[in-house]
Amino acid sequence: MKTRTHRWTHPRTPGIRIQLALWYLLVFAVLVLCAGLLLYTQVQRSLESSMDSALVLRAQTLSNGISVEGGTINISAETSGIGGYSGEQTGSHEDVNFGTLTSLLDAHGRPVRMTSAFHSLIIPAVSVTQPLHGSPWRGTVTTATGQRVRLYSMPLTTQDHTFAILQVGESLTQQQDALHSLLLEMCVIGPLILLLGAAGSYWLAARAFVPIDRVTRAARQIEVNDLHQRVPLPKAHDEVYRLAVTFNTMIERLEAAFQHQRRFVADASHELRTPVTAIHNLAEMALLEGGNLDACTTALHDITGETERLGHLISGLLALARADEGKTILEQEVVHLEQLVGAVVAYAQPLATECAVTMQLSVSQPVVVIGDESRLIQVVMNLLENALHYTNRGGKVTITLTTNEHVAHLIISDTGIGIADDHLPHIFERFYRVDPARGRTEDNRNGLGLSIVEWIVRAHDGQMKVESAVGQGSTFHVFLPLPDDDLAYKLPAATRMRSSGV
Ligand code: ADP
């Protein structure tokens, strides 16, 4: 039976150029729409107000030819266009778009004269009552067929009373046509502007991305084996420049890390090869000796020493590799540092006696820190072993533990051979050894001790400092943060030191 597998594909998001162009388009569309609306309403308003002014002017001109005498309304001969007598309606009205729309009413609102086109208008009562009360009225009325007409109605007065009402109108059809064609033009021009805007914004976005493309292409050409290459910096000190600088700094760090890693692997292989070669040679020599039991015993004894050295080296390498990977989990326990230091000093006493070096411990008060007890033992032990190893017979090693503000301060000072200034910055590097021939030769020396010490101190949020003068001695300082009182109560106390006797 055939089965069909269906691979789920995410819908592709459009590229950043398209996204930018679309955003531009959206903003542009909103702007064009707002501008169009504003233009349309402005034109409409100005057309309306100019028509109103024209109507007022026409009404005032006509009113000049109308007077009242003894209750009779007289219309001068010059006042043409006011229409004929309107008592009868013919039924066939002229179109409101042609001819004038004028009507004259008496003080009771009865028509006196009216142009024939005026008959077709549906006139609201307010257009008569309001002028009868003395104030003019303006508004839009319609014909029976739905055509719209702007109407102005004004009272004609003598000193004390209103004797007639003059109504003047004008069809809005032309105005509506003008607005309609404006709307049509906007509907055609608007999308055209938008289309041009979209094309322009796409082009702009494409142009803006040219320098980024250049950086991307250059970055793509940089291979792992080729990390000395850099991305070219653009001339303008803009965002792309900052991107390129950041990228170059990152490559620089990567290059340093790769170099560091390569050197570490080379050094580790070199260090591992020495004991392996020694074991190989010792085994071969023992084989050549044939059945000589004494020679074989000596060879096995030497091989045991070399394997111990090898084991020491491998555990050091493993600790650092785990630390690099961030896989080492440090315990969080309450450690009584004064007890720990005291125990390590006591443990190292036989070695000190063997080296004929005096040790002096000075602890002023109990010091509690939070951390991994076994790792902290390693720190003190390594520093103490170094001090004993690099101090000549008859010398002195002083171990002091104090607190200083919020830190525990451990000082291991010796009167040994010291370290020259040019070596001092490197002694915490992996496999760095000032001179392998210095100091005593019988120990497991591999140049990893101080790297491990420094890593443990850093992992405890602490710091290290070293001062040294050739021929006078060295002083190593370890600073570890002191915990808040309530945290020290919450965590379990370390037990390993007492159970293992260091
Ligand atoms: P090593 O196993 O060689 O002692 P470390 O990492 O412990 O490696 O030390 C690195 C180098 O620092 C040593 O090679 C040694 O020359 C120098 N050094 C460390 N401690 C002391 C000290 N107390 N006095 C003089 N030199 C020291």
Side-chain angles (χ1 to χ4, degrees), residues 106-215:
D106 66 13
H108 304 287
R110 287 185 303 248
V112 179
R113 295 277 187 95
M114 192 179 280
T115 56
S116 61
F118 202 93
H119 285 290
S120 53
L121 298 183
I122 301 164
I123 303 293
V126 66
S127 71
V128 178
T129 51
Q130 193 171 307
L132 278 178
H133 287 100
S135 47
W137 178 88
R138 67 164 65 86
T140 303
V141 298
T142 51
T143 65
T145 54
Q147 280 177 299
R148 296 172 77 231
V149 169
R150 191 78 181 156
L151 191 71
Y152 177 66
S153 206
M154 72 178 277
L156 302 180
T157 50
T158 55
Q159 290 92 346
D160 52 353
H161 74 286
T162 302
F163 67 89
I165 296 158
L166 181 62
Q167 293 185 318
V168 184
E170 171 117 28
S171 164
L172 283 172
T173 312
Q174 259 187 359
Q175 203 186 83
Q176 275 169 346
D177 287 351
L179 284 172
H180 194 66
S181 51
L182 176 71
L183 199 67
L184 265 177
E185 276 162 25
M186 282 187 344
C187 285
V188 174
I189 293 170
L192 255 175
I193 292 177
L194 282 186
L195 216 68
L196 281 174
S201 57
Y202 184 79
W203 180 77
L204 271 179
R207 251 181 78 88
F209 279 100
V210 167
I212 295 185
D213 279 346
R214 216 172 288 144
V215 172

Side-chain angles (χ1 to χ4, degrees), residues 206-281:
R207 251 181 78 88
F209 279 100
V210 167
I212 295 185
D213 279 346
R214 216 172 288 144
V215 172
T216 313
R217 269 200 305 278
R220 213 177 279 153
Q221 278 162 11
I222 300 176
E223 303 281 335
V224 175
N225 307 332
D226 207 15
L227 285 176
H228 61 275
Q229 280 203 48
R230 296 287 176 269
V231 161
L233 297 180
K235 282 192 196 93
H237 284 218
D238 53 8
E239 287 80 0
V240 184
Y241 178 87
R242 284 199 290 278
L243 176 79
V245 169
T246 313
F247 194 80
N248 280 346
T249 325
M250 196 186 79
I251 298 273
E252 225 162 85
R253 281 204 301 268
L254 270 180
E255 189 185 16
F258 267 101
Q259 263 175 12
H260 186 259
Q261 205 66 23
R262 280 198 202 111
R263 210 173 48 227
F264 181 61
V265 171
D267 288 345
S269 327
H270 177 78
E271 289 291 328
L272 285 169
R273 207 176 53 190
T274 316
V276 170
T277 314
I279 291 169
H280 181 255
N281 291 344

Side-chain angles (χ1 to χ4, degrees), residues 312 382-391 412-414 416-420 423 426-436 438 444-453 466 468 473-476:
H312 191 254
N382 270 339
L383 292 176
L384 203 53
E385 271 181 2
N386 274 356
L388 293 172
H389 182 82
Y390 295 107
T391 302
I412 299 186
S413 182
D414 62 60
I417 57 176
I419 307 162
H423 291 294
H426 304 288
I427 57 167
F428 292 103
E429 288 172 16
R430 292 166 189 191
F431 295 113
Y432 191 86
R433 304 190 66 191
V434 175
D435 175 9
R438 296 177 350 140
N444 282 321
R445 301 276 124 201
N446 51 34
L448 286 183
L450 284 182
S451 330
I452 295 173
V453 166
V466 56
S468 189
S474 314
T475 303
F476 284 82

